[in-house]
Amino acid sequence: MMKVDDFNKRVNFAVTFIVVGLATFFAYHNGQRVFNQNDTLRRALAELPWTDKPEWLKKNLHIMMTRANVDIEMRPFGVYTLNYMSFKDVMKTAYSFGNILYTKKLSIQTQY
């Protein structure tokens, strides 16, 4: 992108990179928010006063605490989890792939 001589192409590449990056980030951000809600639920359940409550409430609280230990995740197509760690991995992979293509292009240009 930075080696292009035409200013309009530079701006076009930069805007495309920012728009695609932000759209991808928002999807992963929503997945991270869903993932974080599980920790909030665990903390709220742990802070409930339960010692002097009826037996039915204790049983329900036990069921909820057991179920809250299963993490809620957004997994589109069952392939990967949407969170910040997988966003970082996707960005690193995209950079590596782009770097390989750029290196290949430079090697082809220097041969001729």
Side-chain angles (χ1 to χ4, degrees), residues 4-21:
V4 176
D5 294 331
D6 187 16
F7 180 74
N8 289 335
K9 283 186 181 179
R10 278 190 195 179
V11 171
N12 190 16
F13 284 144
V15 168
T16 302
F17 174 75
I18 290 170
V19 168
V20 169

Side-chain angles (χ1 to χ4, degrees), residues 12-111:
N12 190 16
F13 284 144
V15 168
T16 302
F17 174 75
I18 290 170
V19 168
V20 169
L22 284 176
T24 307
F25 178 74
F26 287 140
Y28 282 89
H29 177 69
N30 287 334
Q32 184 69 40
R33 285 181 39 210
V34 168
F35 189 77
N36 291 344
Q37 286 298 318
N38 208 30
D39 290 335
T40 306
L41 176 63
R42 282 186 201 137
R43 263 187 256 116
L45 289 174
E47 292 173 359
L48 282 175
W50 58 271
T51 53
D52 57 346
K53 300 298 181 196
E55 191 65 29
W56 64 268
L57 181 68
K58 291 178 186 179
K59 287 181 182 179
N60 284 335
L61 185 61
H62 179 63
I63 291 170
M64 286 189 286
M65 289 181 85
T66 304
R67 186 64 189 142
N69 285 328
V70 177
D71 287 332
I72 300 169
E73 300 173 334
M74 288 180 70
R75 296 184 65 106
F77 309 112
V79 177
Y80 54 91
T81 305
L82 291 181
N83 59 19
Y84 290 147
M85 293 300 289
S86 56
F87 177 73
K88 178 190 70 151
D89 293 339
V90 166
M91 286 295 143
K92 283 175 26 180
T93 304
Y95 176 76
S96 297
F97 185 68
N99 196 19
I100 289 169
L101 291 177
Y102 179 69
T103 306
K104 180 75 172 166
K105 178 183 173 186
L106 282 181
S107 68
I108 289 172
Q109 286 177 352
T110 56
Q111 288 177 358

